[in-house]
Amino acid sequence: KQWYQRRVAITAGDVDSNVFFMKQTVGNACGTVAIIHSLLNNVDRIDVGEELKTFRQDCAGKSADERAKMLETNSQIAGKHAEAASCGQTVAPSAEERVNLHFVALVSVGGTL
C-alpha cells in the first residue's frame, strides 16, 4: 500500500487536466467510483445526465482528495449508490467491512490510457 501511495503521489502531477479522477474514501464504493470515472471521462460521448454533469462541473479545479470529499457529501450519488448496492444478487458488505475484491476503471483520455 505504501508503494502505491508513493507512486500515486509521484505521478499525480503528470495527469492530463482533462482526466477526471478522484480518490475513493467511501467504504466499499469502488464500483461506484469506477463507474463515475468511466462516465465522467467520456462526457463527450455519453449523456451522463444532469446530476453527474453538475458534479463534474462542481469538481472542476479541485484535487482528487477534494473531489472525494465532495462525493462523500453528495446525497444524490449516495442514494443511487445505495439503490444499486441493494439490487445485486448477493448481500452487499457494510461500508466498514474490509474486502479484498475491487472494481477499477481504465479510461482513455486524449489517446492516453
Side-chain angles (χ1 to χ4, degrees), residues 1 27-28 93-102:
K1 184 175 180 178
N28 292 329
S94 72
E96 294 78 30
E97 188 174 336
R98 295 190 57 84
V99 295
N100 291 322
L101 304 170
H102 295 284

Side-chain angles (χ1 to χ4, degrees), residues 34-111:
I35 290 169
I36 290 171
H37 283 146
S38 297
L39 293 172
L40 295 187
N41 281 296
N42 286 288
V43 293
D44 57 333
R45 297 180 197 138
I46 302 170
D47 179 6
V48 298
E50 289 305 314
E51 291 172 13
L52 284 178
K53 280 183 192 174
T54 300
F55 181 72
R56 190 176 204 282
Q57 291 167 350
D58 292 345
C59 287
K62 306 270 194 267
S63 70
D65 288 318
E66 292 169 321
R67 291 173 178 182
K69 292 287 182 203
M70 292 176 69
L71 179 65
E72 289 176 17
T73 61
N74 188 301
S75 59
Q76 292 175 323
I77 295 175
K80 299 288 185 188
H81 167 76
E83 181 183 335
S86 67
C87 292
Q89 295 178 349
T90 60
V91 175
S94 72
E96 294 78 30
E97 188 174 336
R98 295 190 57 84
V99 295
N100 291 322
L101 304 170
H102 295 284
F103 289 97
V104 298
L106 301 176
V107 297
S108 175
V109 178

